[in-house]
Structures are given as C-alpha cells and as structure tokens.
Amino acid sequence: MAMWQGAMDNRGFQQGCFNSFQSSSSDEDLVDIPGTAMNFSLRDDVPPLDGEIEEDKSYNGGGIGSSTRMMDFLEEPIPGVGTYDDFNTIDWVREKSRDRDRHREITNKSKESTWALIHSVSDAFSGWLLMLLIGLLSGSLAGLIDISAHWMTDLKEGICTEGLWFNHEHCCWDSDQVTFEEKDKCPKWNSWSQLLISTEEGAFAYIVNYFMYVLWALLFAFLAVSLVKVFAPYACGSGIPEIKTILSGFIIRGYLGKWTLIIKTITLVLAVSSGLSLGKEGPLVHVACCCGNILCHCFNKYRKNEAKRREVLSAAAAAGVSVAFGAPIGGVLFSLEEVSYYFPLKTLWRSFFAALVAAFTLRSINPFGNSRLVLFYVEFHTPWHLFELVPFILLGIFGGLWGALFIRTNIAWCRKRKTTQLGKYPVIEVLVVTAITAILAFPNEYTRMSTSELISELFNDCGLLDSSKLCDYENHFNSSKGGDLPDRPAGAGVYSAMWQLALALILKIVITIFTFGMKIPSGLFIPSMAVGAIAGRLLGVGMEQMAYYHHDWAIFNSWCSQGADCITPGLYAMVGAAACLGGVTRMTVSLVVIMFELTGGLEYIVPLMAAAMTSKWVADALGREGIYDAHIRLNGYPFLEAKEEFAHKTLAMDVMKPRRNDPLLTVLTQDSMTVEDVETIISETTYSGFPVVVSRESQRLVGFVLRRDLIISIENARKKQDGVVSTSIIYFTEHSPPMPPYTPPTLKLRNILDLSPFTVTDLTPMEIVVDIFRKLGLRQCLVTHNGRLLGIITKKDVLKHIAQMANQDPESILFN
C-alpha cells in the first residue's frame, strides 16, 4: 500500500498536462496576445478521430473502468474531452457523426412529450434564426463602416461648418449655391486652408491643404496599425486566406472572436480613410464571419460542433460579399466557388437567406443616400457590338497579366517581410507606405479621391449634366431632341484626364503591391477593380474617339454611323475591372454575377464572361495559384486544395511514417501497458494520437486513441477513482480479465478508443489517398499490410508530399 500511495502522489506530470488543457483558450475566450507567432511544428497533425460516439456521455466520461473498486463518473462532463487544440484540424467524420447522433436523439424524444416536440421544432428553426441574426448584424456593421469611412475620407480635405458629422456630399445636399460646374463647392463646406488661413486661392493655401491631407492620412494609418498591434493582431490583412483555411477544418483560436470583430471594424474605417490603396470588401467577409462565429455561441447545436459551425461561417461569408458589393446572389456563389470547403445544399439555402437579410438591412440604412447598396452602381443603356469582343478580350489579357504580376511581386515582398527585419517594424512600414501614397496621391485628383469614388467616376456613362473632366466633350448636336448622346470629339478636359488616369494607373499598380499584406485591414477587391477600371476607361475613350473620327473604316461602318452612340467607355471600365479582379483572385462565375448585379443589366454578361475567362486563362498560364491560395501557402496553413489534381504515381508506402531507417511507430497495446508506461510515451513524444494494437509482436490493429483524451481520462481517474496508481493496467478491451489479489485497480479506456479508424493498404495509390483526405476531411489514416499495422499518413504528410512532387521544398512552405 505504501508503494501505491507513493505512486499516487507522483502526479506532477499529469497535473501539469491537464492544467495546460484547461488553460488553453476557447472560441469564447477570444483573447489575442500581441506578438505571438503561430508555430505549427510542435506536433504532428494526427487527428482526433473517435468513431465510437453513441451518446454525449461517451465523450464526457472518458470511459474509466476497473476490475475491482470502481467509481462510475462517466455521467459527469470532463472539460476538454471531444474538443481540439489550437492550430489543429477538426475531424469532419467525428463531428458529422456527433451531429447525426444528436439529431437522432432529439427526433426520438420528440415523440415522447409536447415539450420535447417544441424543443425539436426550435432546434430545426435555430439555423434560420441564426442566419437572420447574422444578416442583420453584418448589414448593420457594413452600413456603419460605409458611413464612417465616407465621413473620415472627406475629413482629410475639410469639414462641414453646419455639422461636423456631415461628409462633403451631405453637407452640400440642400445648398442653393451649388452649381453643376462646381457641385462640390458650397459655403457650408470649408477646406482646411479656409479654416486655417481664410483663403482657398494661392500656393500657400495649396500647401496647407496638402499638409493636412498627409497629416490626417498618417494619423488614421497610425491609429489603425497601433490598434491592430496592441489589441487584435488577427485583425490585419484581408482575412479571406485564413477563413478559407478555417472553413477547411483548421482551428485558429481568436481569429473570429469578439476582439477581432471590434478592432477590425474600427481599423477598417481608419485604413480606408487613410487613402491607402486598399478596399473594405475582403475584410467585410472577415467581419461577417466574426459575427457568425460569435452568434454561434447562442445556439448549442453550433457551439458544440465544429463542422456545423463551419456551415454557418460559409453562409456568413456570403453575407459579407452581399453587403460589400450589394450582390446577394454573387455573395452566395463567391462562398461556394472561392472560400467554402464543405457546402451542402442546406448551406446554399441558408447562405441565400443570410445574404438577402444582410442586403436588405444595408439597403434600409442607405449609407450612400442613393438607395443603392454600393457607391459605384451604374446603369448602361447602349448595347454592345460583336466587334467590341476584341477589346474586351484584350482587357482580359491585361487583367491576367496584371494578376500574375501582382501575385508574384506581392508574395515576394510578403516573404521578404517575414524573413527579414522589416517584419519587426509594422508601424514604421505602414507609416512609410502611407506617407508615400498620400504625397503622390494628392496632386492627382483621381488618386486623391477614395478608390470607390474613382471606380464610380470611371464606370459613369457621361450625360449632359456631368461636369467631370472625363465628360468634357465638344457638343456639336441639338440636345433638345433627347435620346442617347452620340459619340463626340474629346475636349481638353478628357485629354487632361487621360494623362492623370495614366499616372494614377502606374501609382495604383506599384503601391498596391506593397500595401496588401501590411498589418492593417486591407482588401484587394477595390484596388484590383480600380486598376482594371482605369485601363478599361483609357481603352474605351480611345475606341470611342477612333469610332468618331474613323467611322468609315471597315470595322465600324457596318454598325457605327456618324452621330450614333456606338461606344460606352464606362462599359470598358467595368469589363476591365472584372478582368483584373479575376486575374488576381481567379474567380469566374461569382465574379460575373457580382459585376452584373452591380450594373443592374443582363445584356453585358457576355463581355464580362469573355474578359473573366480570358484573364483566368492568361493568369493560370503564368501561375496556377490565386492570391488567396498563394498567401495560404506563404503562411504555411494546412490547406488541401480541392481544385487541383494529383497525377503522380506514388503509393501510400512511399509517404507513410515511419520510413525506412526511422524509429518504429509508437503504439499502445490493448491490455498490457500500465499507466506509467502510457505517461512515459506521452511525455517522450509530441504525437496527438496513438494506434492501439493487440500486441507489439502481432501489430494487429485494434483502434486509435487521442493523446488529449488519454491525458484527461487518466488525470480524471486519479482524481475520482480510488486506487489508480502508476502500476495500474490500462485496458482497451471489452472485458478486463480477473486480476490476482492485492493488485491495483485497472483502468478501462475503451470508450475513448476509436474502433473504426480509416485505413488503407500500403499499395494504395496516393491519388486515391489524396482524394480521400480531401473528400472526407481526414486528419490521418493508418496504413496496413495483411491486417498488420505498418505506419500512418497524416494531412501534414500529404501536403509535404504534394509540395515535393511539385519540386518545392516541403519544409519551406509548411507550418511557418
């Protein structure tokens, strides 16, 4: 007995392990630690697979048993059992099995009483209620962001004396002194030179306005990067690469948490207002997913099941794009095409509902005062002609080239940021890029305005009352007849605008490369669309003038007569925007739908499709990865791309561990190991799970058990079951054999054993293994030969093998 007591007192290791689990953060804690770095190399990605889930108590209890004295504590929940560590992948098979068991239990109970039937109905309705809440919250936050960003962007140029909370447009809304020629000037709006030196004319006034513009830009950028660095490091960037990884089953604690949502919302307004070459559309997807994740905690069905939660996050991503572009259908298709890993039909319906509610909420807020969901909504009336497919395809080629160039240069710069001292000074980097952007942007009116306003200007179809330089045409016609405006010769304003747009194009192309990836919220949709819209408008004006001066050419005379409205430059800007966005993101279907939802017309689908497909073909020819996939690979996230084929003729035995000359695979035996033996294996290895075999000699597979569940179950048994000591035998069998007298109580852990782990033979082709990992969402599978255990293949091994087959160094791209 003294020996037992001494063994029982020796609990330091087990207690420490258990405390480490209890102290790990959950999605409800959502506390981010500034300066922390993700380290994926600490543990092999061996999954928690537990196929023996019959009731919740199977997970909560830990399955402790003994042949002599025994306390049954399986009814009591054990914290940590059935959950996942940070930076680990969920087990889709187990999560779906748990949800089926939960649903089956609720259905069976619903027949027993009225209260159980009400509970069953509320459980079924909870998904739709959750979608409603996500749509309302996402739409409200998007409206708040739009209104705040518009006001703070105008704050860099002046303030409204009537009310500081009015932006420039709302300040001059009801002014009687505003003219079409100078619609932005009104007595109520004062520039900073008027406020500080009481004049708006002269070089000194220009310098004052210039200085205040740069000063405000630096202040906004400094606040944004400081808030991100101090309170929520996960709030930086676009968020879409990480959301794609999370939706594939990876766990990043705090990435979709409360602090991330609050800081991302605030800093997104600041970053957009600073004038940097970034957009709010990508981060709005992150914001919507944060809303979805937080609201999931109100519903047990989604809080306790990681797979069900990811269905909600897919719908939230659709709501995010819906409010970003005012495109509910495009948002659903974006979630399906670009970010979701598992997208059942039920999720499609709920995504549609969430996107609808979000768009309706934003429309009710009316942030731009034009009853539209986006600033650059346009309507074109002139039909396009077949010959114009040639310039549209040219824009597609430009978009593909720009997309491939941007991805390569931006990834190279981000890799330099990661591997050099540059990454240690995010605040200085943001301030330097902001200063360069503001100094170069102010002299050019097309870079001084916000990027959304620029796109709106470029998409605009010139009318008689337009005072923009882009609409400064010479009028040689009778305007009293009405109808569409004919093609007209360009005036001095158009030529001046062309030069300014050409310079703006160069600035946008260069500065966006260095902006995307900094430690502030930064979307890529709007900058990419701006590059394409500028190129498209330049080409459109060129085509318009060519058609006007050379309407008798063979390419024009069949469809463009003198005095007709043949070319719409705004349409070319829209097609160019779609081409560049497609070249960067490699979207196709969702991109076309988003763009035609922006225009409100279906007749331009063919030009958009031609440009989107051309840009994708050209970009794919120069590099297979889109920008989000490239950033996933740069960050080393364990994301198994479902779109790429694995065409190499390797076998499971070529990939499995242990390899030849490696140490033998660490296994547990079903009935011959003591608690001390198991604790020694746990302390000496970093694996997160162990195969269980009949004996080391036979190596016949029995099942698979998780390291996490082993530690928690043993510790719990020591606390609640008298007599469990280091010499107690652990059994994974159905019945423990009779023990000699005076032996310690045994520990039965069969209930935490997965009796049906996924297995393949050693001669299984790797293309089949890769497909199995993709379609089932596995974290590992065991390799056998004639029923004997040979080795294990984890998701990490599969990713390394794919990289190796692509002539890449697997260690350089994984788990950085």
Side-chain angles (χ1 to χ4, degrees):
M1 291 295 293
M3 178 182 67
W4 294 359
Q5 186 64 42
M8 290 177 67
D9 292 337
N10 185 18
R11 299 181 184 178
F13 160 72
Q14 294 85 351
Q15 185 66 44
C17 294
F18 186 64
N19 287 341
S20 69
F21 282 121
Q22 287 198 316
S23 64
S24 62
S25 63
S26 69
D27 278 342
E28 286 136 312
D29 295 332
L30 306 169
V31 177
D32 293 320
I33 302 172
T36 55
M38 288 185 268
N39 184 2
F40 301 100
S41 61
L42 294 179
R43 114 171 7 175
D44 282 352
D45 196 17
V46 181
L49 241 174
D50 199 342
E52 198 167 37
I53 308 164
E54 295 180 1
E55 296 181 32
D56 284 1
K57 64 183 182 182
S58 303
Y59 273 82
N60 295 336
I64 313 298
S66 72
S67 60
T68 54
R69 296 188 307 276
M70 177 84 179
M71 181 185 298
D72 185 7
F73 55 89
L74 294 180
E75 297 297 335
E76 301 176 14
I78 302 177
V81 171
T83 59
Y84 302 93
D85 287 331
D86 203 3
F87 307 130
N88 269 270
T89 306
I90 72 167
D91 183 355
W92 289 90
V93 176
R94 181 176 75 168
E95 296 298 311
K96 296 304 292 181
S97 176
R98 292 175 69 179
D99 184 62
R100 281 193 297 268
D101 291 339
R102 183 198 61 81
H103 186 264
R104 192 180 301 118
E105 182 181 359
I106 290 176
T107 304
N108 292 336
K109 287 183 177 180
S110 66
K111 302 172 185 177
E112 299 174 0
S113 67
T114 305
W115 176 251
L117 179 62
I118 294 173
H119 176 65
S120 175
V121 172
S122 67
D123 181 78
F125 180 70
S126 62
W128 295 100
L129 177 60
L130 180 56
M131 294 302 112
L132 176 68
L133 295 175
I134 290 171
L136 290 172
L137 185 55
S138 301
S140 302
L141 287 176
L144 176 66
I145 290 170
D146 285 336
I147 293 171
S148 304
H150 201 173
W151 173 72
M152 293 180 67
T153 300
D154 289 345
L155 190 62
K156 293 185 297 184
E157 300 184 21
I159 59 173
C160 183
T161 53
E162 188 176 84
L164 295 178
W165 55 89
F166 288 126
N167 61 35
H168 194 166
E169 183 180 6
H170 290 162
C171 184
C172 302
W173 200 281
D174 57 353
S175 176
D176 297 330
Q177 303 180 41
V178 178
T179 63
F180 281 109
E181 289 74 20
E182 295 183 337
K183 60 183 179 181
D184 289 336
K185 293 184 179 180
C186 66
K188 299 178 183 177
W189 180 263
N190 288 336
S191 66
W192 289 110
S193 61
Q194 287 177 294
L195 289 170
L196 298 177
I197 60 173
S198 302
T199 180
E200 200 176 6
E201 307 296 332
F204 187 57
Y206 181 83
I207 292 173
V208 170
N209 287 330
Y210 202 151
F211 174 78
M212 292 302 296
Y213 181 92
V214 175
L215 184 65
W216 278 110
L218 289 172
L219 176 62
F220 292 155
F222 176 74
L223 288 174
V225 69
S226 299
L227 287 172
V228 168
K229 183 180 180 183
V230 174
F231 293 105
Y234 284 152
C236 67
S238 163
I240 293 180
E242 287 77 12
I243 288 169
K244 284 187 70 170
T245 308
I246 290 171
L247 289 178
S248 74
F250 197 56
I251 299 229
I252 307 178
R253 302 285 183 203
Y255 196 84
L256 301 176
K258 293 186 285 289
W259 270 112
T260 304
L261 173 62
I262 294 169
I263 298 302
K264 186 115 186 179
T265 302
I266 296 171
T267 55
L268 180 55
V269 173
L270 292 167
V272 170
S273 305
S274 68
L276 286 165
S277 183
L278 49 81
K280 63 180 183 298
E281 281 64 22
L284 274 176
V285 176
H286 188 185
V287 167
C289 286
C290 288
C291 296
N293 182 65
I294 292 168
L295 290 171
C296 275
H297 292 123
C298 302
F299 302 86
N300 281 336
K301 179 165 73 171
Y302 298 102
R303 183 177 72 246
K304 295 181 178 180
N305 192 291
E306 294 288 351
K308 295 293 291 181
R309 190 184 305 187
R310 274 151 182 78
E311 294 179 21
V312 174
L313 296 181
S314 292
V321 175
S322 173
V323 294
F325 289 102
I329 302 173
V332 175
L333 292 176
F334 173 82
S335 179
L336 173 61
E337 179 184 5
E338 188 64 25
V339 299
S340 293
Y341 194 85
Y342 174 68
F343 203 84
L345 189 60
K346 180 171 59 178
T347 303
L348 179 69
W349 302 334
R350 290 181 175 173
S351 299
F352 184 79
F353 179 65
L356 169 68
V357 174
F360 174 78
T361 305
L362 185 62
R363 170 66 180 79
S364 302
I365 295 173
N366 194 17
F368 301 109
N370 59 1
S371 299
R372 303 296 185 187
L373 298 181
V374 288
L375 189 61
F376 41 84
Y377 184 94
V378 290
E379 289 182 351
F380 300 127
H381 305 289
T382 307
W384 62 279
H385 301 276
L386 189 62
F387 169 75
E388 290 183 280
L389 279 178
V390 175
F392 293 154
I393 290 174
L394 288 176
L395 285 173
I397 294 173
F398 171 79
L401 293 173
W402 145 250
L405 170 69
F406 174 81
I407 291 170
R408 290 195 178 187
T409 50
N410 179 253
I411 291 298
W413 178 251
C414 290
R415 183 174 289 112
K416 183 179 180 64
R417 181 188 293 122
K418 275 179 170 289
T419 56
T420 63
Q421 295 293 319
L422 179 65
K424 297 181 179 179
Y425 306 101
V427 177
I428 295 175
E429 181 191 9
V430 169
L431 291 179
V432 169
V433 173
T434 304
I436 294 172
T437 304
I439 291 170
L440 296 178
F442 185 83
N444 188 337
E445 65 177 284
Y446 293 109
T447 50
R448 187 191 316 160
M449 66 176 64
S450 73
T451 314
S452 294
E453 290 177 345
L454 171 62
I455 294 174
S456 177
E457 184 97 354
L458 296 169
F459 281 8
N460 183 40
D461 189 15
C462 289
L464 278 174
L465 301 180
D466 281 309
S467 60
S468 167
K469 289 201 297 185
L470 282 172
C471 297
D472 183 21
Y473 290 93
E474 298 176 9
N475 295 322
H476 301 307
F477 67 97
N478 185 3
S479 60
S480 63
K481 294 181 181 179
D484 292 334
L485 292 177
D487 288 343
R488 298 162 287 167
V494 174
Y495 289 113
S496 172
M498 291 301 99
W499 281 108
Q500 287 181 297
L501 284 176
L503 294 174
L505 177 63
I506 297 172
L507 176 61
K508 290 287 183 185
I509 286 176
V510 174
I511 206 68
T512 305
I513 293 170
F514 301 97
T515 304
F516 186 70
M518 292 195 304
K519 298 304 179 185
I520 53 173
S522 54
L524 193 56
F525 282 29
I526 289 297
S528 300
M529 289 176 66
V531 169
I534 293 173
R537 188 78 187 204
L538 292 172
L539 180 61
V541 172
M543 288 290 297
E544 180 189 46
Q545 296 305 300
M546 188 186 301
Y548 177 81
Y549 286 109
H550 305 286
H551 56 84
D552 54 342
W553 283 7
I555 57 175
F556 295 119
N557 60 13
S558 61
W559 56 277
C560 184
S561 58
Q562 188 172 10
D565 183 16
C566 304
I567 305 292
T568 305
L571 174 61
Y572 284 73
M574 187 182 74
V575 172
C580 283
L581 184 55
V584 171
T585 63
R586 310 298 163 87
M587 294 190 301
T588 51
V589 180
S590 56
L591 172 63
V592 171
V593 173
I594 287 171
M595 294 305 293
F596 89 69
E597 283 189 272
L598 283 178
T599 61
L602 299 178
E603 59 184 308
Y604 303 110
I605 285 183
V606 173
L608 290 170
M609 290 175 67
M613 284 309 304
T614 305
S615 69
K616 179 172 173 58
W617 285 334
V618 172
D620 281 348
L622 299 174
R624 296 290 297 176
E625 291 180 322
I627 185 65
Y628 301 129
D629 294 328
H631 273 270
I632 285 173
R633 186 163 60 86
L634 177 68
N635 292 324
Y637 298 134
F639 181 77
L640 197 55
E641 179 58 67
K643 301 173 186 175
E644 296 181 2
E645 295 292 330
F646 183 84
H648 304 283
K649 294 183 178 180
T650 51
L651 302 175
M653 61 187 301
D654 302 324
V655 182
M656 72 175 190
K657 290 182 179 179
R659 303 283 182 85
R660 191 174 299 170
N661 300 325
D662 282 353
L664 293 175
L665 185 66
T666 303
V667 297
L668 306 180
T669 57
Q670 67 174 359
D671 57 6
S672 61
M673 298 186 72
T674 64
V675 171
E676 185 178 17
D677 295 334
V678 173
E679 290 172 349
T680 300
I681 289 176
I682 290 173
S683 64
E684 292 178 352
T685 63
T686 57
Y687 309 123
S688 57
F690 305 95
V692 178
V693 296
V694 174
S695 66
R696 297 187 187 276
E697 293 74 25
S698 71
Q699 290 289 310
R700 294 186 66 84
L701 183 64
V702 175
F704 192 86
V705 67
L706 297 180
R707 171 199 190 93
R708 181 188 184 95
D709 288 351
L710 271 176
I711 295 174
I712 294 175
S713 299
I714 293 173
E715 175 62 26
N716 208 61
R718 286 182 178 274
K719 286 183 176 179
K720 298 188 177 182
Q721 183 180 340
D722 293 335
V724 173
V725 293
S726 297
T727 55
S728 297
I729 302 294
I730 291 181
Y731 284 95
F732 294 101
T733 55
E734 186 74 33
H735 304 287
S736 54
M739 301 295 293
Y742 306 112
T743 57
T746 58
L747 197 56
K748 186 177 179 181
L749 299 182
R750 187 174 178 83
N751 280 349
I752 65 169
L753 179 67
D754 176 18
L755 292 169
S756 55
F758 205 96
T759 60
V760 296
T761 67
D762 53 337
L763 298 179
T764 305
M766 272 306 295
E767 57 185 337
I768 295 178
V769 175
V770 171
D771 273 347
I772 290 171
F773 269 86
R774 284 172 175 162
K775 293 174 181 177
L776 292 182
L778 296 183
R779 297 180 62 189
Q780 98 291 315
C781 69
L782 302 174
V783 183
T784 62
H785 177 77
N786 293 337
R788 296 187 63 205
L789 180 65
L790 284 186
I792 187 171
I793 299 176
T794 67
K795 188 175 182 181
K796 179 178 178 181
D797 297 327
V798 172
L799 288 164
K800 284 187 174 184
H801 184 65
I802 291 174
Q804 196 170 4
M805 293 293 101
N807 295 320
Q808 299 168 347
D809 179 12
E811 300 299 334
S812 68
I813 65 168
L814 277 174
F815 307 95
N816 296 327

